[in-house]
C-alpha cells in the first residue's frame, strides 16, 4: 500500500464529478486523488504549492552553503577597502 501524504483523499471518479467542490471542501489542505486506491496525483492550492517550492529552494541553498563551508581551505580574503 502506498503512503498518502494528505489528510483528504477522494477517488478519481468522485473527483471528476465536481473538482471545484473538492477544492472548496479541502480549503487550504492538500487532497490525494486516488486511482484504484493508489495516489494518482495531489491537488494543492497555489499558496501551498508556492510554500512547497520555497521550502525546496531553501533546502537547496542550505546544501550549497554546507558544501562551500566544507571548502574553507580554498577561500580567499577580500579587502573591502581595495574595491
Amino acid at each position: 500500500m502506498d503512503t498518502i501524504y494528505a489528510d483528504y483523499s477522494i477517488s478519481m471518479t468522485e473527483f471528476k464529478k465536481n473538482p471545484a467542490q473538492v477544492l472548496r471542501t479541502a480549503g487550504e489542505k492538500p487532497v490525494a486523488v486516488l486511482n484504484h486506491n493508489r495516489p494518482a496525483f495531489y491537488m494543492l492550492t497555489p499558496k501551498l504549492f508556492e510554500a512547497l517550492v520555497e521550502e525546496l529552494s531553501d533546502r537547496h541553498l542550505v546544501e550549497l552553503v554546507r558544501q562551500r563551508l566544507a571548502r574553507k581551505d580554498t577561500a580567499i580574503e577580500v579587502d573591502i577597502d581595495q574595491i
Side-chain angles (χ1 to χ4, degrees):
M1 176 165 261
D2 294 341
T3 302
I4 298 175
Y5 298 100
D7 293 336
Y8 300 105
S9 64
I10 189 168
S11 71
M12 184 75 74
T13 304
E14 289 299 314
F15 177 77
K16 287 180 186 179
K17 288 180 184 177
N18 195 345
Q21 180 59 41
V22 175
L23 184 60
R24 281 191 298 275
T25 301
E28 291 293 319
K29 301 281 187 177
V31 176
V33 180
L34 309 177
N35 188 23
H36 300 290
N37 292 324
R38 300 182 80 176
F41 66 91
Y42 289 89
M43 182 181 70
L44 306 172
T45 62
K47 180 179 176 182
L48 186 54
F49 184 77
E50 289 168 13
L52 181 62
V53 169
E54 184 72 26
E55 176 67 24
L56 290 172
S57 177
D58 288 350
R59 287 179 185 222
H60 173 72
L61 288 175
V62 166
E63 182 57 32
L64 183 61
V65 167
R66 285 184 178 146
Q67 289 173 3
R68 290 183 179 174
L69 284 173
R71 298 184 296 162
K72 285 193 275 189
D73 58 324
T74 61
I76 61 170
E77 185 174 331
V78 177
D79 185 355
I80 304 260
D81 295 329
Q82 299 297 323
I83 297 179

